[in-house]
């Protein structure tokens, strides 16, 4: 590596390696809102008109873009429809109008104030996946602000030459325009692995690195660089030796991806006949196409929070039903596992009767909130049951910590079933009911919980945090978040053993399930169903088809004798490296880990 070669690091958001020239767009985020007070009715009326005209222009721009995208990528139009909804959201539309009329603020500052309020509300959300949705709100905010200050529209993506786009941030709308353009990869200063921009990049197979500090200052326009979407590295001024090394790696990864995804739809059965089910985690009906594309056997986790968060009103039963029915009908006869609402009352942006909690992770959320707000819960259960008439559905309750919670939830289901019978509405009388095992209390009680449900699903993200008392968002202790910690493995074994006594199957739907490093141990412990990011499915299926259950059980037995997480990690890494060298090199990156 030459003296002039420099390396920037960020978050690998979409796997792949590309070499190209940088196209730096430094003006993407510099939208300054000017403050001005209004003194007369005439001024206020003029500002209201100006704001409404900006909304109308943004709406027209987004509608045109949506229609254009629909022709080639219909599965991605939902993101633009989401932006159209945000455009008319109470917090980003009604609130600025109120601030103009009642607090005499000019349109730009009113919009800025409203957006800051939304951002503050999102910052309190515990779930990083949902918290990351603020990027969609920000994208709409910037579009509106750009129109108000006369800097929009302007983001024309390059065509023709192969370039790597470098920007402070990119909206999903802009990312949809990359397919077929001259952009072969992109680097942003903002964003995360689960942002819609990252998800789109994965879908279009455009390599991307996000969260690169000062990228637009560090990278010069036209500069040759290497974007490594596997490791999150950006290499500036690469010499010939480095270029050749990365081009070899690029070719090897492309061959690996082709080989792994070719047979993704085939069953995931070990060579000695142990059949497993590899499922997908999804959030939106529009993600259904990923289930088929990556060979999922169904949906092991359908998150249902987004509809509650994106609407400015509580979703009606019909809105929920329509959402669930689309997914269930599209995937029939594959199984769809719907998780009931897993947020707290303070996350309902349109409601003010729930104040922010000091520690929301331990507060009124998930099943606790649902059992308190029974009208909301009943509405969702009715929608889920009605959707069950269109395919195979099972429902599961998050954050269960007692038998009583399961019984109360099941009792409500029976009440709802009776209502639907009286109304003559069809549903699956035998719809399976499951409990998520994600707090230590549920692990301790799993022998008592098992007879109450049809299945368990271990939510490892929460279980690891609660079991090890680790906040992954706290940089001081984030490194202590260790899925292969001996305590975590013993908890998994305890759940599988207790469930086995009652004949209850055990699934796993946290990030741990989609990591090829963990897979052999989980199989050996007896987990037979895994649900994950769809990208991870081909990799996980490949490992399952290559390892015998006996081999996995021997591995699990050995790690259960180990007392430190370091020892277990070393052992698991050594096994993967020796047994699956290509997956060790590329598997985690392709799986989006």
């Amino acid at each position: 590596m030459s003296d002039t070669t420099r390396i920037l690091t960020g978050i690998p958001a979409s796997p792949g390696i590309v070499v190209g020239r940088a196209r730096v767009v430094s003006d993407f985020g510099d939208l300054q809102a000017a403050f001005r007070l209004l003194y007369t009715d005439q001024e206020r009326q003029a500002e209201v008109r100006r704001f409404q005209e900006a909304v109308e222009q943004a709406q027209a721009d987004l509608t045109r873009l949506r229609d254009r995208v629909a022709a080639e990528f219909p599965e991605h139009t939902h993101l633009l429809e989401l932006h159209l909804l945000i455009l008319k959201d109470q917090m980003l539309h009604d609130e600025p109008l109120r601030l103009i009329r009642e607090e005499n603020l000019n349109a730009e500052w009113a919009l800025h104030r409203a957006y800051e309020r939304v951002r503050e509300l999102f910052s309190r959300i515990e779930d990083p996946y949902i918290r990351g949705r603020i990027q969609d709100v920000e994208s709409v905010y910037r579009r509106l602000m750009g129109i108000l200050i006369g800097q929009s529209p302007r983001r024309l993506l390059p065509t023709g030459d192969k370039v790597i786009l470098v920007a402070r941030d990119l909206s999903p709308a802009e990312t949809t325009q990359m397919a077929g353009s001259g952009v072969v990869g992109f680097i942003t200063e903002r964003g995360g692995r689960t942002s819609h921009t990252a998800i789109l990049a994965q879908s279009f197979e455009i390599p991307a690195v996000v969260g690169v500090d000062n990228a637009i200052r560090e990278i010069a326009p036209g500069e040759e660089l290497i974007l490594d979407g596997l490791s999150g590295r950006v290499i500036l001024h690469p010499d010939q030796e480095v270029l050749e090394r990365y081009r070899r790696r690029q070719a090897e990864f492309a061959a690996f991806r082709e080989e792994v995804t070719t047979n993704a739809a085939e069953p995931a059965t070990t060579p000695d006949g142990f059949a497993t089910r590899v499922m997908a985690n999804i959030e939106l009906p529009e993600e259904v196409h990923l289930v088929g594309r990556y060979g999922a056997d169904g949906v092991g986790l359908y998150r249902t929070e987004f509809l509650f968060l994106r609407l400015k009103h509580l979703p009606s039963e019909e809105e929920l039903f329509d959402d669930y029915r689309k997914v269930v009908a599209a995937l029939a006869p594959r199984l769809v596992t719907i998780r009931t609402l897993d947020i707290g009352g303070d996350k309902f942006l349109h409601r003010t009767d729930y104040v922010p909690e000091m520690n929301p992770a331990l507060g009124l959320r998930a099943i606790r909130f649902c059992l308190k707000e029974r009208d909301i819960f009943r509405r969702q259960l009715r929608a889920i049951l009605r959707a069950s008439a269109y395919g195979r559905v099972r429902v599961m309750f998050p954050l269960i910590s007692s038998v009583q919670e399961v019984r109360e939830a099941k009792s409500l289901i029976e009440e709802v079933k009776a209502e639907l019978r009286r109304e003559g509405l069809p549903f699956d009388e035998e719809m399976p009911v499951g409990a998520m095992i994600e707090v230590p209390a549920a692990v301790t009680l799993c022998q008592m919980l098992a007879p109450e449900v049809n299945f368990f699903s271990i939510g490892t993200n929460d279980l690891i945090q609660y079991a090890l008392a680790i906040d992954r968002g706290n940089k001081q202790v984030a490194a202590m978040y260790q899925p292969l910690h001996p305590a975590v493995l013993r908890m998994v074994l305890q759940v599988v053993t207790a469930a086995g006594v009652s004949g209850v199957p055990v699934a796993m739907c946290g990030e741990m399930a989609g990591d090829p490093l963990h897979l052999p141990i989980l199989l050996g412990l007896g987990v037979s169903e895994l649900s994950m990011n769809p990208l991870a499915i081909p990799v996980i299926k490949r490992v399952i088809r290559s390892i015998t259950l006996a081999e996995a059980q021997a591995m699990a037995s050995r790690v259960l004798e180990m007392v430190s997480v370091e020892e277990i990690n070393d052992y698991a890494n050594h096994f993967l490296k020796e047994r699956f060298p290509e997956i060790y090199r590329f598997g985690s990156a392709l799986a989006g880990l």
Side-chain angles (χ1 to χ4, degrees):
M1 186 178 293
S2 73
D3 293 340
T4 58
T5 299
R6 290 184 298 128
I7 297 175
L8 307 179
T9 58
I11 301 167
S14 180
I17 295 172
V18 287
V19 179
R21 299 280 175 185
R23 172 69 67 88
V24 181
V25 279
S26 58
D27 59 340
F28 269 23
D30 299 329
L31 301 175
Q32 299 295 325
F35 172 78
R36 182 165 59 88
L37 278 177
L38 311 173
Y39 294 98
T40 67
D41 284 344
Q42 191 175 18
E43 286 180 310
R44 283 187 284 274
Q45 289 168 10
E47 286 300 282
V48 166
R49 277 198 304 275
R50 201 160 67 86
F51 181 79
Q52 289 174 329
E53 286 169 0
V55 171
E56 288 170 5
Q57 182 179 332
Q59 188 171 18
D61 292 344
L62 285 168
T63 301
R64 277 196 298 273
L65 182 56
R66 181 199 61 191
D67 295 343
R68 196 159 63 236
V69 169
E72 194 169 358
F73 305 103
E75 67 272 23
H76 294 309
T77 57
H78 70 282
L79 294 175
L80 298 168
E81 287 167 357
L82 170 63
H83 284 206
L84 284 166
L85 284 172
I86 294 172
L87 198 57
K88 290 299 184 72
D89 184 85
Q90 179 181 350
M91 297 296 289
L92 214 58
H93 179 269
D94 298 355
E95 180 64 6
L97 289 173
R98 186 194 71 78
L99 291 169
I100 294 170
R101 289 172 175 138
E102 298 179 12
E103 299 194 19
N104 305 315
L105 298 178
N106 62 318
E108 289 90 338
W109 198 253
L111 176 62
H112 177 71
R113 277 265 305 269
Y115 168 68
E116 287 298 313
R117 170 63 176 152
V118 178
R119 193 167 68 164
E120 191 269 335
L121 288 169
F122 267 76
S123 70
R124 296 190 216 137
I125 295 176
E126 185 72 18
D127 187 327
Y129 190 87
I130 298 173
R131 192 170 60 239
R133 299 284 80 83
I134 187 61
Q135 284 187 281
D136 293 295
V137 181
E138 181 180 352
S139 176
V140 174
Y141 160 74
R142 287 168 51 194
R143 179 176 289 273
L144 262 180
M145 185 62 79
I147 294 171
L148 286 170
I149 65 177
Q151 290 188 18
S152 178
R154 53 165 178 65
R155 298 193 184 197
L156 297 177
L157 296 177
T159 58
D161 294 341
K162 293 182 177 180
V163 299
I164 295 174
L165 203 62
V166 183
R168 183 163 299 164
D169 199 2
L170 290 170
S171 72
E174 290 154 348
T175 310
T176 59
Q177 299 175 67
M178 288 185 191
S181 77
V183 177
V184 295
F186 68 82
I187 300 160
T188 62
E189 295 182 349
R190 298 178 181 168
R193 198 193 305 269
T194 58
S195 67
H196 277 142
T197 297
I199 291 169
L200 282 170
Q202 294 160 13
S203 182
F204 295 144
E205 298 187 357
I206 299 173
V209 176
V210 301
V212 180
D213 291 338
N214 302 315
I216 59 175
R217 279 193 292 176
E218 296 282 347
I219 302 173
E223 185 173 4
E224 185 175 40
L225 55 87
I226 299 168
L227 184 162
D228 184 350
L230 305 177
S231 67
R233 289 192 292 183
V234 178
I235 297 96
L236 311 180
H237 301 295
D239 59 26
Q240 196 57 36
E241 180 187 347
V242 173
L243 276 172
E244 288 176 5
R245 187 165 73 242
Y246 269 91
R247 284 188 172 125
R248 283 197 302 273
R249 186 171 162 84
Q250 181 183 34
E252 290 166 355
F253 174 72
F256 170 77
R257 175 181 235 163
E258 173 70 20
E259 193 271 333
V260 165
T261 54
T262 297
N263 300 315
E266 297 298 315
T269 303
T270 64
D272 53 352
F274 181 63
T276 68
R277 200 154 49 181
V278 183
M279 315 276 273
N281 296 343
I282 66 169
E283 179 186 13
L284 299 166
E286 291 79 4
E287 291 177 283
V288 161
H289 74 284
L290 297 176
V291 176
R293 179 174 175 178
Y294 292 106
D297 299 319
V299 170
L301 170 62
Y302 181 22
R303 301 182 180 93
T304 59
E305 292 75 39
F306 202 49
L307 197 59
F308 285 85
L309 291 170
R310 78 183 183 190
L311 298 179
K312 59 185 178 183
H313 59 269
L314 274 174
S316 67
E317 178 183 324
E318 289 305 312
E319 287 171 321
L320 294 170
F321 166 63
D322 187 55
D323 190 84
Y324 306 154
R325 179 187 54 77
K326 284 179 184 173
V327 172
V328 173
L331 291 175
R334 282 181 279 201
L335 181 63
V336 176
T337 310
I338 302 178
R339 182 182 70 183
T340 56
L341 197 56
D342 190 17
I343 52 177
D346 62 319
K347 308 306 183 300
F348 286 88
L349 305 184
H350 50 281
R351 295 187 60 172
T352 58
D353 46 351
Y354 282 101
V355 297
E357 297 175 307
M358 290 293 290
N359 194 342
L362 304 178
L364 184 65
R365 53 169 282 218
I367 192 65
R368 302 167 185 176
F369 174 77
C370 288
L371 291 175
K372 180 177 173 59
E373 292 286 349
R374 296 200 173 210
D375 287 344
I376 296 174
F377 195 26
R378 182 187 293 274
R379 186 182 306 180
Q380 186 179 32
L381 291 175
R382 282 180 59 96
I384 293 171
L385 275 163
R386 289 175 59 192
S388 72
Y390 293 82
R392 293 178 62 206
V393 175
R394 61 182 184 182
V395 65
M396 64 182 182
F397 307 125
L399 209 70
I400 289 295
S401 61
S402 72
V403 172
Q404 184 60 24
E405 287 173 338
V406 174
R407 289 177 176 170
E408 286 186 41
K410 286 171 59 182
S411 175
L412 205 55
I413 286 181
E414 293 306 314
E415 290 179 23
V416 169
K417 283 182 176 178
E419 291 173 1
L420 295 177
R421 287 189 202 102
R422 287 195 295 273
E423 296 166 19
L425 294 173
F427 64 92
D428 178 8
E429 291 276 2
E430 305 300 323
M431 181 182 73
V433 174
M436 290 196 69
I437 306 297
E438 48 190 347
V439 300
V443 176
T444 305
L445 294 174
C446 57
Q447 196 167 355
M448 288 177 264
L449 288 169
E452 303 286 338
V453 295
N454 302 107
F455 68 98
F456 284 150
S457 184
I458 303 175
T460 53
N461 296 0
D462 275 344
L463 180 61
I464 295 168
Q465 288 197 96
Y466 290 129
L468 303 182
I470 297 296
D471 176 5
R472 284 199 298 174
N474 183 342
K475 292 183 179 178
Q476 303 295 325
V477 296
M480 297 170 68
Y481 180 91
Q482 293 287 346
L484 295 182
H485 192 288
V488 175
L489 297 183
R490 279 164 172 72
M491 284 185 166
V492 173
L493 179 63
Q494 186 177 346
V495 174
V496 171
T497 303
V501 172
S502 299
V504 171
V506 177
M508 180 176 285
C509 64
E511 290 176 10
M512 187 177 182
D515 193 330
L517 182 70
H518 307 147
L519 178 64
I521 297 172
L522 295 176
L523 282 181
L525 291 174
V527 179
S528 59
E529 180 183 313
L530 304 121
S531 190
M532 61 202 69
N533 173 356
L535 281 174
I537 291 170
V539 175
I540 293 299
K541 280 192 163 184
R542 162 80 179 277
V543 176
I544 291 173
R545 294 193 201 105
S546 305
I547 184 172
T548 65
L549 179 62
E551 194 176 6
Q553 288 172 333
M555 192 170 175
S557 296
R558 186 161 179 187
V559 300
L560 287 172
E561 296 171 356
M562 300 177 182
V563 298
S564 76
V565 67
E566 292 80 8
E567 193 179 4
I568 298 172
N569 277 332
D570 286 346
Y571 177 72
N573 273 289
H574 179 77
F575 175 83
L576 194 66
K577 186 176 182 179
E578 294 296 317
R579 189 74 162 73
F580 302 100
E582 293 306 307
I583 287 178
Y584 182 79
R585 289 184 71 197
F586 299 124
S588 293
L590 185 57
L593 298 170

